[in-house]
């Protein structure tokens, strides 16, 4: 059984060492103490990476136009573009209609 130090183990699963330390504290991944250092088995890390890969990514989309009228097609086009590039399941779409810049006041 190969044991990896915290930093190397964190790189292997693609998380920050602090995140891996927290997961070990919470019991989400097994750690073995060697002296004063935690070590992680390659098997435990591979199992963790496999379970993390099986969790489906969820995404919220945000589309915005400036102005209050006549731009529904722009919102729809933005949404279609974002949906096409989404890498997970789209769970929400937020549509925002800003007022835009009406003019710039001159200072005295």
């Amino acid at each position: 059984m190969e044991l990896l130090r915290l930093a190397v183990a964190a790189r292997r699963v693609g998380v920050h060492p602090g995140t891996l330390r927290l997961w070990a504290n919470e019991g989400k991944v097994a750690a073995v103490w060697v002296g004063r250092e935690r070590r992680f088995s390659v098997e435990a890390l591979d199992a963790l990476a496999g379970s993390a890969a099986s969790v489906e990514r969820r995404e919220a989309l945000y589309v915005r136009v400036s102005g209050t009228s006549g731009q529904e097609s722009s919102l729809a086009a933005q949404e279609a573009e974002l949906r096409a590039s989404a890498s997970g399941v789209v769970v929400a779409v937020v549509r925002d209609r800003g007022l835009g810049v009406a003019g710039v006041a001159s200072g005295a």
Side-chain angles (χ1 to χ4, degrees):
M1 172 171 65
E2 183 182 3
L3 296 175
L4 303 178
R5 290 183 167 193
L6 177 65
V8 175
R11 259 193 315 272
R12 183 178 180 104
V13 294
V15 297
H16 189 274
T19 301
L20 188 57
R21 184 182 303 112
L22 177 67
W23 289 350
N25 290 343
E26 294 174 347
K28 293 180 180 178
V29 61
V32 176
W33 287 95
V34 177
R36 296 178 61 186
E37 292 185 352
R38 278 179 238 248
R39 302 283 172 96
F40 299 86
S41 73
V42 172
E43 294 82 12
L45 295 172
D46 289 345
L48 177 66
S51 67
S54 67
V55 174
E56 200 165 22
R57 179 182 170 99
R58 297 180 301 163
E59 298 182 20
L61 307 180
Y62 176 76
V63 294
R64 183 179 195 280
V65 293
S66 297
T68 56
S69 64
Q71 296 185 1
E72 289 300 318
S73 62
S74 179
L75 281 175
Q78 288 179 45
E79 182 178 341
E81 183 71 25
L82 289 175
R83 281 186 184 275
S85 65
S87 60
V89 175
V90 176
V91 295
V93 177
V94 178
R95 292 172 185 85
D96 188 13
R97 291 175 185 84
L99 296 178
V101 177
V104 178
S106 60

